[in-house]
Amino acid sequence: MAISRPTVAQLRAFLALAEHLHFRDAAAALRMSQPALSGSVAALEESLDTRLVERTTRKVLLTPAGERVARRAELVLAELDRLVEEVRAVRGPLVGPLRVGVIPTVAPYLLPVVLPRLSQEFPELELSVHEEQTDHIVAELLAGRLDVVLLALPTPVQGVTEVALYDEDFVLVAPASSDLVGPAEGVPREALSNLDVILLNEGHCLRDQALDVCREVGARAAAATYATSLATLVQLVSGGLGVTLVPETALPVETRRAPNLALHRFKSPAPFRRIGLGYRSTSPRSDEFATLAASIRAAVTALHATATPGVRPV
């Protein structure tokens, strides 16, 4: 029996299933319905005339043939994505589709500043934005499902080229009723050692950065209280449950929504985080991403650099 050629859609569906070993999770990763993904995998098996997966009630297992097809499909799709990227690079900077991943502690504060500028400077850019935590968007980047990511540096894996955009200080946010009073030159980091610091849930890189600052001075986190977003975190502080560290760019948005807060900047050098772009080191679009980085820096400079010393383009 003659073997017909698989389609790109079938290979992408099967590779997602091979990665997640679960139909629902694979379908969610591809943003398609579970029946559609199942149909694509079944069509691939039919075209190759062999079983690629073992379906059980709880999970999916790859057959030996499925493991070989998964390895080959990854190479084929990577080369296909590279071909598309090379063609786009020839057409000019930031023309056509661009899939961007952004972490939740950056997206609400940076995108409203950056998106209007990108729309004006690059009218032929077709931008799609996906907001997820660091580990997820980096995995999507390396899998070829995102082109570039906006996140806190350094990135947690190899194979990603980084382009620094700006540094932003952390600000200590406390209830207005607290007796925390800092000197004119700012609160010393050691003040954290006497406070209950509220953090984001695990998975947020901002949580890890805040923990690093706390560990430097022997401070403790409030073990029973966590939040899934900066908005909730600030509301908890407003309710008197502790203090927290908020990046400078998030302050105007989040403190406007919460009453009864006191903001304390740290004594220099203040703890800070660095925000940047990350893209696959094998991507031929490095010049495009340098152009993107320059546009983002210009937008941040226009909004923050003169009025907010706590944000410094790099």
Side-chain angles (χ1 to χ4, degrees):
M1 180 178 179
I3 296 178
S4 60
R5 293 184 182 275
T7 67
V8 172
Q10 290 169 358
L11 291 178
R12 289 199 187 279
F14 175 67
L15 193 58
L17 183 61
E19 178 182 349
H20 294 277
L21 295 178
H22 196 287
F23 278 94
R24 184 187 63 227
D25 294 345
L30 293 179
R31 295 175 174 83
M32 64 189 300
S33 69
Q34 189 171 328
L37 179 121
S38 182
S40 292
V41 173
L44 178 62
E45 290 181 315
E46 183 177 352
S47 69
L48 296 178
D49 192 27
T50 188
R51 287 189 62 186
L52 302 177
V53 297
E54 294 180 26
R55 298 164 175 82
T56 71
T57 55
R58 293 188 176 181
K59 61 181 179 179
V60 173
L61 300 175
L62 297 185
T63 66
E67 292 179 353
R68 296 187 65 179
V69 171
R71 290 194 296 268
R72 185 64 64 179
E74 187 173 9
L75 296 173
V76 169
L77 293 176
E79 283 302 309
L80 183 61
D81 288 341
R82 184 173 177 82
L83 181 150
V84 173
E85 288 180 342
E86 288 177 352
V87 172
R88 288 175 182 163
V90 172
R91 291 171 59 191
L94 300 178
V95 173
L98 182 68
R99 302 163 298 177
V100 181
V102 193
I103 59 175
T105 58
V106 167
Y109 322 112
L110 183 62
L111 293 182
V113 178
V114 169
L115 293 184
R117 188 181 192 96
L118 292 179
S119 178
Q120 182 178 12
E121 291 185 350
F122 310 103
E124 296 184 65
L125 178 64
E126 301 168 15
L127 195 66
S128 59
V129 176
H130 308 276
E131 183 187 37
E132 291 284 355
Q133 293 179 6
T134 299
D135 288 346
H136 183 82
I137 62 170
V138 170
E140 293 287 280
L141 175 72
L142 294 178
R145 291 187 284 270
L146 292 175
D147 301 309
V148 64
V149 293
L150 274 164
L151 73 176
L153 302 180
T155 50
V157 298
Q158 295 182 338
V160 177
T161 296
E162 300 175 355
V163 181
L165 296 174
Y166 60 91
D167 294 340
E168 60 176 331
D169 291 345
F170 287 112
V171 177
L172 179 60
V173 178
S177 58
S178 68
D179 57 1
L180 179 63
V181 178
E185 65 271 18
V187 174
R189 298 189 194 196
E190 289 72 19
L192 290 171
S193 61
N194 298 317
L195 302 170
D196 287 326
V197 183
I198 308 174
L199 303 174
L200 290 173
N201 286 338
E202 291 186 9
H204 290 275
C205 61
L206 184 59
R207 169 191 170 87
D208 299 329
Q209 294 155 358
L211 278 173
D212 288 341
V213 175
C214 291
R215 291 190 188 105
E216 287 179 9
V217 295
R220 64 188 184 279
T225 305
Y226 298 108
T228 59
S229 68
L230 273 176
T232 302
L233 203 61
V234 173
Q235 292 292 340
L236 292 174
V237 173
S238 176
L241 296 186
V243 303
T244 195
L245 302 179
V246 176
E248 187 81 50
T249 56
L251 283 177
V253 174
E254 301 305 345
T255 58
R256 185 176 67 239
R257 301 170 179 172
N260 307 317
L261 294 175
L263 309 183
H264 302 276
R265 283 179 169 76
F266 286 96
K267 182 178 179 181
S268 183
F272 70 95
R273 69 173 182 173
R274 173 162 291 180
I275 302 301
L277 290 179
Y279 61 90
R280 291 184 301 281
S281 300
T282 56
S283 175
R285 304 177 69 182
S286 57
D287 289 344
E288 278 193 275
F289 298 142
T291 300
L292 176 64
S295 182
I296 294 174
R297 278 194 214 97
V300 171
T301 299
L303 185 67
H304 291 289
T306 55
T308 313
V311 181
R312 301 171 295 279
V314 295

